[in-house]
């Protein structure tokens, strides 16, 4: 089933030849595009070459079986055939995963929006906990975090906060975080020690460049106002805060974290562009009725996806039934075990759908 993969190998070799061309080397933009394509197909080429080696090893061992009468050599050849078949099956499964359609947004930076949900001030405090968790995770991977807009409360929580995480593959890891996050704990304001349940919603949007999604200036209403908040150094006496309204949808984005009106406008437009892009993508996905959505997917914002239980030190991801008893580590940004499990479940579901579609098309 992998016979056609020679096209990847030929393209890979062609790209490497181009990268060695002095003319291309002097063109940073072309070099960057070529390197991006190399990185995207290199894992497939390397795995395909591994797969072919197992086929060659089995063919050589079969030849020995045909030509040799020596019992010991024949026994070694039979073992070689058995090993090659096991390796080929394993590598074949890995190759199938690599050949699954890639999300074109996977390599992009992300804009994360966290909003306090049910629970009032406690929900706002929990939003702050989630912001800290994602910031620490980004730091552990060498990514950069930058607040774009924040609406703080008196106790140090956030009614809402938007921030950008910049780094290779940020969206591929964090896209599974969109949805409702629930916390069960005793709030600081609770006098009788009762456990409260609060929620916060998380939206993870791929950063969208102007060339990918163009905003019509005629569709925008832009207002300026003075920054407001819980107090302190962020309060600005000049009208540097920006409110952008997208007239066709009524969507409103505010940015007031920067003292520069220009920077706040730029950030507001980035958030708006990413939100509208996500809506457009969802509409396109919904139109492809034949293609079943993954059970894990990227999370519906109305769906409760995870619970953080403080009394029991427990974190449960409800989409895949994963429970970990190391809440402190997770809240300190140790998210890889959860994200790896979500990615594995997503890939397994896509493989299953791919196999079913292949079976149906062959009937």
């Amino acid at each position: 089933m992998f016979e056609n993969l020679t096209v990847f190998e030929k393209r890979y070799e062609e790209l490497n030849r181009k990268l060695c061309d002095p003319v291309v080397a002097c063109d940073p933009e072309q070099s960057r595009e070529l390197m991006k394509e190399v990185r995207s197909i290199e894992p497939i080429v390397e795995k395909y070459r591994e797969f072919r080696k197992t086929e060659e090893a089995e063919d050589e061992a079969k030849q020995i079986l045909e030509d040799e009468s020596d019992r010991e050599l024949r026994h070694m050849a039979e073992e070689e055939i058995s090993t090659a078949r096991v390796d080929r099956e394993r590598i074949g499964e890995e190759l199938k995963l690599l050949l699954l359609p890639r999300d074109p947004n996977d390599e992009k930076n992300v804009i994360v929006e966290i909003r306090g949900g049910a629970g009032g001030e406690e929900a706002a405090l929990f939003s702050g906990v989630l912001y800290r968790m994602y910031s620490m995770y980004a730091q552990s991977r060498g990514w950069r975090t930058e607040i774009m807009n924040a609406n703080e409360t008196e106790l140090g929580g956030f009614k809402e906060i938007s921030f950008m995480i910049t780094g290779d593959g940020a969206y591929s890891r964090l896209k599974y975080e969109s949805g409702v996050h629930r916390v069960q704990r005793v709030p600081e304001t609770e006098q009788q020690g009762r456990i409260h349940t609060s929620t916060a919603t998380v939206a993870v949007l791929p950063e969208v460049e102007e060339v990918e999604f163009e905003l019509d200036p005629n569709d925008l209403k832009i207002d300026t106002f003075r920054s407001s908040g819980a107090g302190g150094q962020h309060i600005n006496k000049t009208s540097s805060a920006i409110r952008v309204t997208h007239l066709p949808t009524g969507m409103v984005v505010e940015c007031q974290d920067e003292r520069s009106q220009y920077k706040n406008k730029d950030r507001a437009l980035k958030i708006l562009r990413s939100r509208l892009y996500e809506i457009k993508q969802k509409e396109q996905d919904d139109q492809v009725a034949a293609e079943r959505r993954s059970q894990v997917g990227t999370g519906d914002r109305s769906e409760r996806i995870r619970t953080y239980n403080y009394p029991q030190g427990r974190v449960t991801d409800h989409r895949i039934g994963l429970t970990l008893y190391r809440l402190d580590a997770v809240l300190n940004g140790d998210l890889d075990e959860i994200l790896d499990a979500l990615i594995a479940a997503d890939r397994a579901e896509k493989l299953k759908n791919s196999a079913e579609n292949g079976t149906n098309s062959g009937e």
Side-chain angles (χ1 to χ4, degrees):
M1 64 178 292
F2 301 126
E3 296 85 359
N4 295 330
L5 296 189
T6 53
V7 69
F8 284 98
E9 197 166 34
K10 288 175 182 175
R11 178 61 178 163
Y12 180 70
E13 290 167 356
E14 180 189 350
L15 289 169
N16 280 303
R17 282 195 300 272
K18 285 184 178 181
L19 285 167
C20 293
D21 186 333
V23 176
V24 173
C26 292
D27 184 343
E29 190 168 337
Q30 189 179 2
S31 295
R32 190 164 51 248
E33 286 300 313
L34 291 174
M35 278 304 302
K36 185 177 178 181
E37 189 177 352
V38 166
R39 284 197 300 270
S40 70
I41 65 174
E42 190 170 49
I44 296 173
V45 172
E46 289 178 350
K47 195 60 67 176
Y48 176 51
R49 287 173 176 172
E50 278 186 59
F51 184 82
R52 281 212 317 250
K53 282 181 182 177
T54 62
E55 290 185 317
E56 290 166 5
E58 184 176 354
D59 289 341
E60 288 174 8
K62 283 179 178 177
Q63 194 63 46
I64 292 171
L65 272 180
E66 290 178 7
D67 297 344
E68 286 289 340
S69 57
D70 183 281
R71 181 178 296 178
E72 189 172 342
L73 282 174
R74 289 179 63 84
H75 179 66
M76 289 173 62
E78 287 169 353
E79 285 187 343
E80 183 68 30
I81 290 171
S82 177
T83 301
R85 284 176 178 169
V86 170
D87 288 345
R88 188 172 72 245
E89 187 172 337
R90 172 182 57 80
I91 294 168
E93 291 302 312
E94 293 171 356
L95 199 47
K96 286 178 189 176
L97 283 176
L98 290 171
L99 290 170
L100 286 173
R102 285 178 59 82
D103 187 332
N105 295 318
D106 273 353
E107 297 307 311
K108 291 183 178 178
N109 303 325
V110 296
I111 294 171
V112 183
E113 298 182 326
I114 303 174
R115 290 182 176 81
E121 185 62 51
E122 170 63 7
L125 289 169
F126 179 49
S127 295
V129 169
L130 291 177
Y131 166 66
R132 178 179 176 273
M133 177 181 79
Y134 293 126
S135 298
M136 294 185 74
Y137 179 67
Q139 186 178 11
S140 73
R141 297 190 73 89
W143 298 341
R144 187 165 57 88
T145 303
E146 179 185 11
I147 293 178
M148 303 183 77
N149 190 51
N151 187 347
E152 296 181 57
T153 63
E154 294 288 347
L155 294 182
F158 295 103
K159 288 182 181 178
E160 59 181 289
I161 181 169
S162 301
F163 55 99
M164 178 173 285
I165 294 179
T166 305
D168 291 340
Y171 186 75
S172 70
R173 304 287 297 172
L174 293 173
K175 63 184 177 181
Y176 302 97
E177 292 302 290
S178 289
V180 176
H181 294 243
R182 182 174 71 167
V183 63
Q184 294 172 326
R185 65 180 180 181
V186 179
E188 294 175 20
T189 54
E190 170 60 51
Q191 301 296 319
Q192 300 178 22
R194 291 176 300 183
I195 296 172
H196 286 230
T197 297
S198 304
T199 62
T201 61
V202 175
V204 179
L205 313 172
E207 182 191 16
V208 181
E209 301 295 336
E210 288 184 52
V211 293
E212 296 176 273
F213 191 95
E214 187 177 350
L215 288 171
D216 186 344
N218 296 320
D219 289 342
L220 305 178
K221 180 188 175 190
I222 299 177
D223 301 305
T224 60
F225 61 99
R226 290 186 181 183
S227 296
S228 61
Q233 62 180 350
H234 293 294
I235 299 300
N236 199 332
K237 294 179 181 178
T238 61
S239 297
S240 63
I242 291 288
R243 180 185 297 111
V244 179
T245 304
H246 187 246
L247 299 174
T249 62
M251 189 177 290
V252 178
V253 177
E254 291 183 359
C255 271
Q256 56 179 325
D257 214 56
E258 287 286 344
R259 293 187 181 277
S260 161
Q261 189 181 110
Y262 171 78
K263 285 186 177 179
N264 281 326
K265 180 181 175 183
D266 182 58
R267 288 178 168 187
L269 291 176
K270 275 189 176 182
I271 294 172
L272 179 62
R273 197 178 292 115
S274 293
R275 285 187 192 172
L276 293 172
Y277 178 76
E278 184 195 37
I279 291 171
K280 182 181 176 184
Q281 274 200 314
K282 189 176 186 308
E283 288 173 351
Q284 289 173 345
D285 288 345
D286 291 344
Q287 286 172 3
V288 187
E291 183 181 345
R292 289 193 308 187
R293 302 290 297 275
S294 165
Q295 287 181 356
V296 176
T298 53
D300 186 328
R301 269 183 251 174
S302 64
E303 172 195 5
R304 187 191 73 198
I305 64 169
R306 193 174 300 146
T307 296
Y308 306 77
N309 184 291
Y310 276 63
Q312 298 178 23
R314 184 184 75 221
V315 181
T316 300
D317 195 288
H318 304 290
R319 294 165 293 180
I320 53 175
L322 174 68
T323 297
L324 303 176
Y325 287 89
R326 48 187 199 85
L327 176 65
D328 288 344
V330 169
L331 293 179
N332 284 326
D334 189 358
L335 289 171
D336 276 331
E337 186 173 355
I338 295 174
L339 297 181
D340 287 343
L342 286 165
I343 290 169
D346 190 27
R347 285 177 173 174
E349 181 64 20
K350 285 174 179 172
L351 268 178
K352 177 184 169 187
N353 291 342
S354 176
E356 288 178 359
N357 290 338
T359 302
N360 293 337
S361 63
E363 288 175 357

